[in-house]
PDB file of all heavy atoms in Angstrom:
ATOM      1  N   TYR Y 208     -81.955  92.814  46.196  1.00  0.00           N
ATOM      2  CA  TYR Y 208     -81.059  92.762  47.361  1.00  0.00           C
ATOM      3  C   TYR Y 208     -81.793  91.929  48.413  1.00  0.00           C
ATOM      4  O   TYR Y 208     -82.361  92.439  49.365  1.00  0.00           O
ATOM      5  CB  TYR Y 208     -80.761  94.171  47.832  1.00  0.00           C
ATOM      6  CG  TYR Y 208     -79.697  94.321  48.905  1.00  0.00           C
ATOM      7  CD1 TYR Y 208     -78.972  93.248  49.404  1.00  0.00           C
ATOM      8  CD2 TYR Y 208     -79.421  95.573  49.425  1.00  0.00           C
ATOM      9  CE1 TYR Y 208     -78.009  93.412  50.380  1.00  0.00           C
ATOM     10  CE2 TYR Y 208     -78.465  95.765  50.402  1.00  0.00           C
ATOM     11  CZ  TYR Y 208     -77.759  94.672  50.880  1.00  0.00           C
ATOM     12  OH  TYR Y 208     -76.794  94.842  51.860  1.00  0.00           O
ATOM     13  N   LEU Y 209     -81.761  90.614  48.241  1.00  0.00           N
ATOM     14  CA  LEU Y 209     -82.551  89.703  49.072  1.00  0.00           C
ATOM     15  C   LEU Y 209     -82.192  89.793  50.544  1.00  0.00           C
ATOM     16  O   LEU Y 209     -83.075  89.742  51.399  1.00  0.00           O
ATOM     17  CB  LEU Y 209     -82.415  88.265  48.570  1.00  0.00           C
ATOM     18  CG  LEU Y 209     -83.242  87.227  49.327  1.00  0.00           C
ATOM     19  CD1 LEU Y 209     -84.733  87.557  49.259  1.00  0.00           C
ATOM     20  CD2 LEU Y 209     -82.976  85.836  48.806  1.00  0.00           C
ATOM     21  N   THR Y 210     -80.923  89.946  50.846  1.00  0.00           N
ATOM     22  CA  THR Y 210     -80.517  90.045  52.252  1.00  0.00           C
ATOM     23  C   THR Y 210     -81.276  91.182  52.942  1.00  0.00           C
ATOM     24  O   THR Y 210     -81.810  91.001  54.034  1.00  0.00           O
ATOM     25  CB  THR Y 210     -78.999  90.268  52.355  1.00  0.00           C
ATOM     26  OG1 THR Y 210     -78.331  89.142  51.775  1.00  0.00           O
ATOM     27  CG2 THR Y 210     -78.557  90.448  53.796  1.00  0.00           C
ATOM     28  N   ALA Y 211     -81.339  92.335  52.311  1.00  0.00           N
ATOM     29  CA  ALA Y 211     -82.043  93.482  52.894  1.00  0.00           C
ATOM     30  C   ALA Y 211     -83.532  93.195  53.027  1.00  0.00           C
ATOM     31  O   ALA Y 211     -84.138  93.518  54.058  1.00  0.00           O
ATOM     32  CB  ALA Y 211     -81.824  94.722  52.044  1.00  0.00           C
ATOM     33  N   GLU Y 212     -84.128  92.594  52.004  1.00  0.00           N
ATOM     34  CA  GLU Y 212     -85.563  92.300  52.056  1.00  0.00           C
ATOM     35  C   GLU Y 212     -85.886  91.337  53.185  1.00  0.00           C
ATOM     36  O   GLU Y 212     -86.883  91.503  53.894  1.00  0.00           O
ATOM     37  CB  GLU Y 212     -86.046  91.741  50.714  1.00  0.00           C
ATOM     38  CG  GLU Y 212     -85.895  92.703  49.549  1.00  0.00           C
ATOM     39  CD  GLU Y 212     -86.604  94.026  49.756  1.00  0.00           C
ATOM     40  OE1 GLU Y 212     -87.707  94.046  50.328  1.00  0.00           O
ATOM     41  OE2 GLU Y 212     -86.055  95.057  49.328  1.00  0.00           O
ATOM     42  N   LEU Y 213     -85.046  90.326  53.387  1.00  0.00           N
ATOM     43  CA  LEU Y 213     -85.273  89.368  54.474  1.00  0.00           C
ATOM     44  C   LEU Y 213     -85.112  90.034  55.835  1.00  0.00           C
ATOM     45  O   LEU Y 213     -85.921  89.818  56.745  1.00  0.00           O
ATOM     46  CB  LEU Y 213     -84.308  88.189  54.355  1.00  0.00           C
ATOM     47  CG  LEU Y 213     -84.565  87.213  53.229  1.00  0.00           C
ATOM     48  CD1 LEU Y 213     -83.403  86.230  53.102  1.00  0.00           C
ATOM     49  CD2 LEU Y 213     -85.876  86.474  53.433  1.00  0.00           C
ATOM     50  N   ILE Y 214     -84.080  90.847  55.983  1.00  0.00           N
ATOM     51  CA  ILE Y 214     -83.859  91.520  57.272  1.00  0.00           C
ATOM     52  C   ILE Y 214     -85.035  92.424  57.609  1.00  0.00           C
ATOM     53  O   ILE Y 214     -85.529  92.411  58.749  1.00  0.00           O
ATOM     54  CB  ILE Y 214     -82.524  92.302  57.254  1.00  0.00           C
ATOM     55  CG1 ILE Y 214     -81.352  91.323  57.203  1.00  0.00           C
ATOM     56  CG2 ILE Y 214     -82.419  93.226  58.474  1.00  0.00           C
ATOM     57  CD1 ILE Y 214     -80.009  91.974  56.918  1.00  0.00           C
ATOM     58  N   ILE Y 215     -85.507  93.194  56.640  1.00  0.00           N
ATOM     59  CA  ILE Y 215     -86.651  94.076  56.885  1.00  0.00           C
ATOM     60  C   ILE Y 215     -87.879  93.250  57.234  1.00  0.00           C
ATOM     61  O   ILE Y 215     -88.643  93.612  58.148  1.00  0.00           O
ATOM     62  CB  ILE Y 215     -86.929  94.976  55.656  1.00  0.00           C
ATOM     63  CG1 ILE Y 215     -85.782  95.966  55.442  1.00  0.00           C
ATOM     64  CG2 ILE Y 215     -88.273  95.686  55.770  1.00  0.00           C
ATOM     65  CD1 ILE Y 215     -85.638  97.021  56.521  1.00  0.00           C
ATOM     66  N   TRP Y 216     -88.094  92.139  56.545  1.00  0.00           N
ATOM     67  CA  TRP Y 216     -89.257  91.296  56.843  1.00  0.00           C
ATOM     68  C   TRP Y 216     -89.179  90.786  58.289  1.00  0.00           C
ATOM     69  O   TRP Y 216     -90.154  90.873  59.042  1.00  0.00           O
ATOM     70  CB  TRP Y 216     -89.336  90.108  55.878  1.00  0.00           C
ATOM     71  CG  TRP Y 216     -90.647  89.393  55.961  1.00  0.00           C
ATOM     72  CD1 TRP Y 216     -91.747  89.617  55.204  1.00  0.00           C
ATOM     73  CD2 TRP Y 216     -90.999  88.356  56.891  1.00  0.00           C
ATOM     74  NE1 TRP Y 216     -92.769  88.776  55.599  1.00  0.00           N
ATOM     75  CE2 TRP Y 216     -92.334  87.992  56.627  1.00  0.00           C
ATOM     76  CE3 TRP Y 216     -90.330  87.693  57.904  1.00  0.00           C
ATOM     77  CZ2 TRP Y 216     -93.004  87.001  57.342  1.00  0.00           C
ATOM     78  CZ3 TRP Y 216     -90.993  86.709  58.629  1.00  0.00           C
ATOM     79  CH2 TRP Y 216     -92.312  86.372  58.348  1.00  0.00           C
ATOM     80  N   TYR Y 217     -88.009  90.264  58.686  1.00  0.00           N
ATOM     81  CA  TYR Y 217     -87.860  89.766  60.060  1.00  0.00           C
ATOM     82  C   TYR Y 217     -87.925  90.901  61.073  1.00  0.00           C
ATOM     83  O   TYR Y 217     -88.453  90.721  62.174  1.00  0.00           O
ATOM     84  CB  TYR Y 217     -86.567  88.958  60.211  1.00  0.00           C
ATOM     85  CG  TYR Y 217     -86.678  87.578  59.617  1.00  0.00           C
ATOM     86  CD1 TYR Y 217     -85.916  87.197  58.530  1.00  0.00           C
ATOM     87  CD2 TYR Y 217     -87.572  86.648  60.137  1.00  0.00           C
ATOM     88  CE1 TYR Y 217     -86.036  85.938  57.975  1.00  0.00           C
ATOM     89  CE2 TYR Y 217     -87.695  85.388  59.591  1.00  0.00           C
ATOM     90  CZ  TYR Y 217     -86.925  85.033  58.512  1.00  0.00           C
ATOM     91  OH  TYR Y 217     -87.048  83.784  57.967  1.00  0.00           O
ATOM     92  N   PHE Y 218     -87.425  92.068  60.714  1.00  0.00           N
ATOM     93  CA  PHE Y 218     -87.519  93.226  61.595  1.00  0.00           C
ATOM     94  C   PHE Y 218     -88.986  93.549  61.888  1.00  0.00           C
ATOM     95  O   PHE Y 218     -89.375  93.758  63.037  1.00  0.00           O
ATOM     96  CB  PHE Y 218     -86.821  94.432  60.954  1.00  0.00           C
ATOM     97  CG  PHE Y 218     -86.907  95.670  61.785  1.00  0.00           C
ATOM     98  CD1 PHE Y 218     -86.014  95.896  62.808  1.00  0.00           C
ATOM     99  CD2 PHE Y 218     -87.907  96.611  61.556  1.00  0.00           C
ATOM    100  CE1 PHE Y 218     -86.104  97.037  63.597  1.00  0.00           C
ATOM    101  CE2 PHE Y 218     -88.002  97.749  62.348  1.00  0.00           C
ATOM    102  CZ  PHE Y 218     -87.097  97.958  63.362  1.00  0.00           C
ATOM    103  N   ARG Y 219     -89.809  93.575  60.850  1.00  0.00           N
ATOM    104  CA  ARG Y 219     -91.237  93.848  61.027  1.00  0.00           C
ATOM    105  C   ARG Y 219     -91.911  92.751  61.848  1.00  0.00           C
ATOM    106  O   ARG Y 219     -92.766  93.044  62.698  1.00  0.00           O
ATOM    107  CB  ARG Y 219     -91.928  93.956  59.666  1.00  0.00           C
ATOM    108  CG  ARG Y 219     -91.543  95.188  58.892  1.00  0.00           C
ATOM    109  CD  ARG Y 219     -92.112  95.154  57.501  1.00  0.00           C
ATOM    110  NE  ARG Y 219     -91.734  96.328  56.728  1.00  0.00           N
ATOM    111  CZ  ARG Y 219     -91.824  96.414  55.410  1.00  0.00           C
ATOM    112  NH1 ARG Y 219     -92.301  95.399  54.699  1.00  0.00           N
ATOM    113  NH2 ARG Y 219     -91.448  97.515  54.797  1.00  0.00           N
ATOM    114  N   ALA Y 220     -91.545  91.513  61.591  1.00  0.00           N
ATOM    115  CA  ALA Y 220     -92.138  90.403  62.343  1.00  0.00           C
ATOM    116  C   ALA Y 220     -91.788  90.523  63.824  1.00  0.00           C
ATOM    117  O   ALA Y 220     -92.667  90.371  64.685  1.00  0.00           O
ATOM    118  CB  ALA Y 220     -91.661  89.066  61.781  1.00  0.00           C
ATOM    119  N   LEU Y 221     -90.534  90.802  64.125  1.00  0.00           N
ATOM    120  CA  LEU Y 221     -90.130  90.952  65.522  1.00  0.00           C
ATOM    121  C   LEU Y 221     -90.846  92.124  66.179  1.00  0.00           C
ATOM    122  O   LEU Y 221     -91.256  92.034  67.343  1.00  0.00           O
ATOM    123  CB  LEU Y 221     -88.615  91.134  65.619  1.00  0.00           C
ATOM    124  CG  LEU Y 221     -87.783  89.879  65.353  1.00  0.00           C
ATOM    125  CD1 LEU Y 221     -86.306  90.245  65.232  1.00  0.00           C
ATOM    126  CD2 LEU Y 221     -87.991  88.856  66.454  1.00  0.00           C
ATOM    127  N   ALA Y 222     -90.996  93.218  65.447  1.00  0.00           N
ATOM    128  CA  ALA Y 222     -91.700  94.391  65.990  1.00  0.00           C
ATOM    129  C   ALA Y 222     -93.146  94.052  66.324  1.00  0.00           C
ATOM    130  O   ALA Y 222     -93.730  94.625  67.251  1.00  0.00           O
ATOM    131  CB  ALA Y 222     -91.638  95.540  65.001  1.00  0.00           C
ATOM    132  N   ALA Y 223     -93.724  93.112  65.593  1.00  0.00           N
ATOM    133  CA  ALA Y 223     -95.108  92.687  65.824  1.00  0.00           C
ATOM    134  C   ALA Y 223     -95.193  91.563  66.865  1.00  0.00           C
ATOM    135  O   ALA Y 223     -96.274  91.047  67.131  1.00  0.00           O
ATOM    136  CB  ALA Y 223     -95.740  92.224  64.512  1.00  0.00           C
ATOM    137  N   GLY Y 224     -94.041  91.176  67.424  1.00  0.00           N
ATOM    138  CA  GLY Y 224     -94.032  90.142  68.445  1.00  0.00           C
ATOM    139  C   GLY Y 224     -93.942  88.727  67.895  1.00  0.00           C
ATOM    140  O   GLY Y 224     -94.139  87.766  68.618  1.00  0.00           O
ATOM    141  N   ASP Y 225     -93.639  88.590  66.629  1.00  0.00           N
ATOM    142  CA  ASP Y 225     -93.562  87.278  65.986  1.00  0.00           C
ATOM    143  C   ASP Y 225     -92.099  86.889  65.797  1.00  0.00           C
ATOM    144  O   ASP Y 225     -91.407  87.455  64.958  1.00  0.00           O
ATOM    145  CB  ASP Y 225     -94.269  87.322  64.630  1.00  0.00           C
ATOM    146  CG  ASP Y 225     -94.231  86.004  63.890  1.00  0.00           C
ATOM    147  OD1 ASP Y 225     -93.661  85.023  64.414  1.00  0.00           O
ATOM    148  OD2 ASP Y 225     -94.776  85.953  62.771  1.00  0.00           O
ATOM    149  N   SER Y 226     -91.652  85.929  66.582  1.00  0.00           N
ATOM    150  CA  SER Y 226     -90.268  85.475  66.452  1.00  0.00           C
ATOM    151  C   SER Y 226     -90.186  84.077  65.851  1.00  0.00           C
ATOM    152  O   SER Y 226     -89.102  83.499  65.784  1.00  0.00           O
ATOM    153  CB  SER Y 226     -89.581  85.486  67.822  1.00  0.00           C
ATOM    154  OG  SER Y 226     -90.238  84.589  68.689  1.00  0.00           O
ATOM    155  N   GLU Y 227     -91.302  83.558  65.396  1.00  0.00           N
ATOM    156  CA  GLU Y 227     -91.336  82.184  64.906  1.00  0.00           C
ATOM    157  C   GLU Y 227     -91.539  82.055  63.400  1.00  0.00           C
ATOM    158  O   GLU Y 227     -91.090  81.081  62.802  1.00  0.00           O
ATOM    159  CB  GLU Y 227     -92.452  81.407  65.619  1.00  0.00           C
ATOM    160  CG  GLU Y 227     -92.302  81.355  67.133  1.00  0.00           C
ATOM    161  CD  GLU Y 227     -91.050  80.607  67.571  1.00  0.00           C
ATOM    162  OE1 GLU Y 227     -90.708  79.591  66.945  1.00  0.00           O
ATOM    163  OE2 GLU Y 227     -90.414  81.048  68.538  1.00  0.00           O
ATOM    164  N   SER Y 228     -92.225  82.983  62.786  1.00  0.00           N
ATOM    165  CA  SER Y 228     -92.551  82.859  61.364  1.00  0.00           C
ATOM    166  C   SER Y 228     -91.294  82.890  60.497  1.00  0.00           C
ATOM    167  O   SER Y 228     -90.272  83.444  60.890  1.00  0.00           O
ATOM    168  CB  SER Y 228     -93.480  83.995  60.917  1.00  0.00           C
ATOM    169  OG  SER Y 228     -94.725  83.858  61.534  1.00  0.00           O
ATOM    170  N   VAL Y 229     -91.416  82.294  59.322  1.00  0.00           N
ATOM    171  CA  VAL Y 229     -90.316  82.277  58.358  1.00  0.00           C
ATOM    172  C   VAL Y 229     -90.721  83.144  57.176  1.00  0.00           C
ATOM    173  O   VAL Y 229     -91.823  83.019  56.645  1.00  0.00           O
ATOM    174  CB  VAL Y 229     -90.007  80.841  57.895  1.00  0.00           C
ATOM    175  CG1 VAL Y 229     -88.929  80.830  56.830  1.00  0.00           C
ATOM    176  CG2 VAL Y 229     -89.601  79.980  59.088  1.00  0.00           C
ATOM    177  N   ALA Y 230     -89.819  84.019  56.775  1.00  0.00           N
ATOM    178  CA  ALA Y 230     -90.098  84.949  55.676  1.00  0.00           C
ATOM    179  C   ALA Y 230     -90.422  84.181  54.397  1.00  0.00           C
ATOM    180  O   ALA Y 230     -89.750  83.205  54.072  1.00  0.00           O
ATOM    181  CB  ALA Y 230     -88.895  85.851  55.445  1.00  0.00           C
ATOM    182  N   PRO Y 231     -91.423  84.636  53.664  1.00  0.00           N
ATOM    183  CA  PRO Y 231     -91.784  84.015  52.390  1.00  0.00           C
ATOM    184  C   PRO Y 231     -90.842  84.496  51.284  1.00  0.00           C
ATOM    185  O   PRO Y 231     -91.134  85.445  50.563  1.00  0.00           O
ATOM    186  CB  PRO Y 231     -93.217  84.493  52.174  1.00  0.00           C
ATOM    187  CG  PRO Y 231     -93.256  85.831  52.845  1.00  0.00           C
ATOM    188  CD  PRO Y 231     -92.328  85.719  54.032  1.00  0.00           C
ATOM    189  N   GLU Y 232     -89.710  83.823  51.168  1.00  0.00           N
ATOM    190  CA  GLU Y 232     -88.639  84.275  50.279  1.00  0.00           C
ATOM    191  C   GLU Y 232     -89.112  84.494  48.840  1.00  0.00           C
ATOM    192  O   GLU Y 232     -88.798  85.511  48.226  1.00  0.00           O
ATOM    193  CB  GLU Y 232     -87.506  83.254  50.317  1.00  0.00           C
ATOM    194  CG  GLU Y 232     -86.229  83.731  49.711  1.00  0.00           C
ATOM    195  CD  GLU Y 232     -85.092  82.776  49.985  1.00  0.00           C
ATOM    196  OE1 GLU Y 232     -84.634  82.713  51.147  1.00  0.00           O
ATOM    197  OE2 GLU Y 232     -84.671  82.096  49.031  1.00  0.00           O
ATOM    198  N   ALA Y 233     -89.862  83.560  48.281  1.00  0.00           N
ATOM    199  CA  ALA Y 233     -90.309  83.687  46.882  1.00  0.00           C
ATOM    200  C   ALA Y 233     -91.192  84.922  46.707  1.00  0.00           C
ATOM    201  O   ALA Y 233     -91.053  85.661  45.727  1.00  0.00           O
ATOM    202  CB  ALA Y 233     -91.048  82.433  46.443  1.00  0.00           C
ATOM    203  N   ALA Y 234     -92.072  85.168  47.655  1.00  0.00           N
ATOM    204  CA  ALA Y 234     -92.952  86.331  47.569  1.00  0.00           C
ATOM    205  C   ALA Y 234     -92.149  87.626  47.698  1.00  0.00           C
ATOM    206  O   ALA Y 234     -92.425  88.607  47.003  1.00  0.00           O
ATOM    207  CB  ALA Y 234     -94.031  86.264  48.651  1.00  0.00           C
ATOM    208  N   LEU Y 235     -91.160  87.634  48.568  1.00  0.00           N
ATOM    209  CA  LEU Y 235     -90.315  88.824  48.711  1.00  0.00           C
ATOM    210  C   LEU Y 235     -89.556  89.105  47.423  1.00  0.00           C
ATOM    211  O   LEU Y 235     -89.415  90.265  47.013  1.00  0.00           O
ATOM    212  CB  LEU Y 235     -89.325  88.643  49.862  1.00  0.00           C
ATOM    213  CG  LEU Y 235     -89.908  88.695  51.267  1.00  0.00           C
ATOM    214  CD1 LEU Y 235     -88.844  88.339  52.289  1.00  0.00           C
ATOM    215  CD2 LEU Y 235     -90.492  90.057  51.555  1.00  0.00           C
ATOM    216  N   LEU Y 236     -89.060  88.063  46.783  1.00  0.00           N
ATOM    217  CA  LEU Y 236     -88.343  88.242  45.516  1.00  0.00           C
ATOM    218  C   LEU Y 236     -89.258  88.828  44.452  1.00  0.00           C
ATOM    219  O   LEU Y 236     -88.877  89.762  43.738  1.00  0.00           O
ATOM    220  CB  LEU Y 236     -87.766  86.910  45.039  1.00  0.00           C
ATOM    221  CG  LEU Y 236     -86.516  86.440  45.766  1.00  0.00           C
ATOM    222  CD1 LEU Y 236     -86.207  84.987  45.411  1.00  0.00           C
ATOM    223  CD2 LEU Y 236     -85.341  87.335  45.451  1.00  0.00           C
ATOM    224  N   ARG Y 237     -90.482  88.295  44.347  1.00  0.00           N
ATOM    225  CA  ARG Y 237     -91.428  88.820  43.353  1.00  0.00           C
ATOM    226  C   ARG Y 237     -91.780  90.266  43.647  1.00  0.00           C
ATOM    227  O   ARG Y 237     -91.773  91.112  42.749  1.00  0.00           O
ATOM    228  CB  ARG Y 237     -92.697  87.964  43.323  1.00  0.00           C
ATOM    229  CG  ARG Y 237     -92.546  86.637  42.626  1.00  0.00           C
ATOM    230  CD  ARG Y 237     -93.884  85.959  42.401  1.00  0.00           C
ATOM    231  NE  ARG Y 237     -94.670  85.790  43.606  1.00  0.00           N
ATOM    232  CZ  ARG Y 237     -94.558  84.759  44.446  1.00  0.00           C
ATOM    233  NH1 ARG Y 237     -93.703  83.804  44.210  1.00  0.00           N
ATOM    234  NH2 ARG Y 237     -95.324  84.680  45.511  1.00  0.00           N
ATOM    235  N   GLN Y 238     -92.077  90.556  44.889  1.00  0.00           N
ATOM    236  CA  GLN Y 238     -92.482  91.910  45.279  1.00  0.00           C
ATOM    237  C   GLN Y 238     -91.344  92.904  45.054  1.00  0.00           C
ATOM    238  O   GLN Y 238     -91.556  93.982  44.499  1.00  0.00           O
ATOM    239  CB  GLN Y 238     -92.884  91.910  46.754  1.00  0.00           C
ATOM    240  CG  GLN Y 238     -93.353  93.238  47.279  1.00  0.00           C
ATOM    241  CD  GLN Y 238     -93.717  93.147  48.750  1.00  0.00           C
ATOM    242  OE1 GLN Y 238     -93.134  92.373  49.495  1.00  0.00           O
ATOM    243  NE2 GLN Y 238     -94.692  93.932  49.156  1.00  0.00           N
ATOM    244  N   ALA Y 239     -90.132  92.555  45.458  1.00  0.00           N
ATOM    245  CA  ALA Y 239     -88.998  93.468  45.291  1.00  0.00           C
ATOM    246  C   ALA Y 239     -88.645  93.635  43.815  1.00  0.00           C
ATOM    247  O   ALA Y 239     -88.266  94.733  43.396  1.00  0.00           O
ATOM    248  CB  ALA Y 239     -87.796  92.941  46.063  1.00  0.00           C
ATOM    249  N   ALA Y 240     -88.794  92.600  43.030  1.00  0.00           N
ATOM    250  CA  ALA Y 240     -88.487  92.695  41.602  1.00  0.00           C
ATOM    251  C   ALA Y 240     -89.448  93.657  40.914  1.00  0.00           C
ATOM    252  O   ALA Y 240     -89.054  94.384  40.000  1.00  0.00           O
ATOM    253  CB  ALA Y 240     -88.559  91.316  40.950  1.00  0.00           C
ATOM    254  N   ARG Y 241     -90.696  93.690  41.361  1.00  0.00           N
ATOM    255  CA  ARG Y 241     -91.675  94.628  40.773  1.00  0.00           C
ATOM    256  C   ARG Y 241     -91.315  96.064  41.106  1.00  0.00           C
ATOM    257  O   ARG Y 241     -91.589  96.978  40.330  1.00  0.00           O
ATOM    258  CB  ARG Y 241     -93.085  94.313  41.265  1.00  0.00           C
ATOM    259  CG  ARG Y 241     -93.712  93.107  40.606  1.00  0.00           C
ATOM    260  CD  ARG Y 241     -95.199  93.030  40.894  1.00  0.00           C
ATOM    261  NE  ARG Y 241     -95.521  92.963  42.307  1.00  0.00           N
ATOM    262  CZ  ARG Y 241     -95.692  91.828  42.993  1.00  0.00           C
ATOM    263  NH1 ARG Y 241     -95.574  90.671  42.387  1.00  0.00           N
ATOM    264  NH2 ARG Y 241     -96.009  91.860  44.263  1.00  0.00           N
ATOM    265  N   LYS Y 242     -90.717  96.302  42.280  1.00  0.00           N
ATOM    266  CA  LYS Y 242     -90.356  97.652  42.709  1.00  0.00           C
ATOM    267  C   LYS Y 242     -89.032  98.131  42.117  1.00  0.00           C
ATOM    268  O   LYS Y 242     -88.775  99.315  42.077  1.00  0.00           O
ATOM    269  CB  LYS Y 242     -90.251  97.723  44.230  1.00  0.00           C
ATOM    270  CG  LYS Y 242     -91.565  97.655  44.954  1.00  0.00           C
ATOM    271  CD  LYS Y 242     -91.378  98.018  46.394  1.00  0.00           C
ATOM    272  CE  LYS Y 242     -91.249  96.794  47.248  1.00  0.00           C
ATOM    273  NZ  LYS Y 242     -91.052  97.072  48.656  1.00  0.00           N
ATOM    274  N   ALA Y 243     -88.186  97.175  41.696  1.00  0.00           N
ATOM    275  CA  ALA Y 243     -86.838  97.534  41.211  1.00  0.00           C
ATOM    276  C   ALA Y 243     -86.937  98.403  39.950  1.00  0.00           C
ATOM    277  O   ALA Y 243     -87.820  98.214  39.130  1.00  0.00           O
ATOM    278  CB  ALA Y 243     -86.036  96.275  40.932  1.00  0.00           C
ATOM    279  N   PRO Y 244     -85.978  99.358  39.833  1.00  0.00           N
ATOM    280  CA  PRO Y 244     -85.983 100.249  38.663  1.00  0.00           C
ATOM    281  C   PRO Y 244     -85.665  99.511  37.381  1.00  0.00           C
ATOM    282  O   PRO Y 244     -85.086  98.529  37.294  1.00  0.00           O
ATOM    283  CB  PRO Y 244     -84.892 101.264  38.991  1.00  0.00           C
ATOM    284  CG  PRO Y 244     -84.096 100.704  40.096  1.00  0.00           C
ATOM    285  CD  PRO Y 244     -84.919  99.643  40.753  1.00  0.00           C
TER     286      PRO Y 244
END
């Protein structure tokens, strides 16, 4: 569910005061795929 993974990544970045970084989409896909049932 890439949309959710990206939103959570940007949510964490904003909480840390980072409004400029771009989410590492490929890394998020790999990480989420490892967690998927």
Side-chain angles (χ1 to χ4, degrees):
Y208 188 3
L209 182 59
T210 298
E212 298 303 322
L213 288 171
I214 292 169
I215 293 293
W216 192 93
Y217 284 115
F218 178 84
R219 290 173 181 163
L221 287 170
D225 180 0
S226 62
E227 301 296 321
S228 293
V229 176
E232 193 170 288
L235 288 173
L236 284 168
R237 284 191 305 274
Q238 181 181 32
R241 284 193 301 267
K242 288 192 263 179

